[in-house]
Amino acid sequence: MGNQMTEMLKGTLEGVVLAILAGRPAYGYEITAQLRDQGFSEIVEGTIYALLVRIEQKGLVDVEKVPSEKGPPRKVYSLSTNGREQLEEFWRTWSFLAERIEQLHTSNIDSTNNTDNEGV
């Protein structure tokens, strides 16, 4: 699944990160750890930090600098109003695509089963 999973995830990672932040504010490492806990083991921190910069520039998150015991302050991200709207749009789009893909999958299974039974 490796390469195909990576390619598919590229298109959805922003929505996935917004969904994580909908649960509670978090900093980059926490987001990466939660993704890994969810089975996305190949995600690297650099990918998440680059994504966080982009969504911050888009105004989808609010950022608060929180003092850290180890080094410079941490940036803690939380969803902004625009981020919540973007997340709602992501879920609508996801539902639409998932339904259509499932329809394709089901119709392909049905047509394969019908073809298999024709010679019987």
Side-chain angles (χ1 to χ4, degrees):
M1 262 198 307
N3 192 37
Q4 190 170 26
M5 174 72 79
T6 300
E7 289 302 312
M8 289 180 150
L9 193 54
K10 282 181 185 177
T12 58
L13 192 56
E14 180 178 296
V16 170
V17 169
L18 292 176
I20 288 171
L21 293 174
R24 68 176 181 83
Y27 59 94
Y29 180 78
E30 287 177 312
I31 295 167
T32 303
Q34 187 168 349
L35 287 167
R36 288 180 180 158
D37 288 346
Q38 295 289 325
F40 299 106
S41 58
E42 295 181 19
I43 290 186
V44 295
E45 275 182 80
T47 300
I48 299 304
Y49 285 112
L51 176 81
L52 289 170
V53 168
R54 285 195 307 275
I55 65 176
E56 181 180 356
Q57 290 171 344
K58 289 179 172 181
L60 303 179
V61 292
D62 295 320
V63 180
E64 180 183 354
K65 289 192 177 183
V66 176
S68 172
E69 296 170 4
K70 303 175 185 176
R74 290 182 175 157
K75 283 181 152 185
V76 176
Y77 298 86
S78 59
L79 281 188
S80 66
T81 302
N82 289 342
R84 291 194 186 285
E85 292 169 3
Q86 184 70 24
L87 180 58
E88 288 172 16
E89 179 64 25
F90 171 79
W91 286 129
R92 281 192 297 274
T93 303
W94 180 262
S95 294
F96 175 84
L97 289 172
E99 287 172 16
R100 297 320 175 277
I101 290 168
E102 185 58 32
Q103 286 173 355
L104 283 169
H105 179 73
T106 303
S107 67
N108 284 339
I109 289 173
D110 291 343
S111 66
T112 301
N113 288 338
N114 290 337
T115 304
D116 290 344
N117 294 330
E118 285 178 4
V120 178

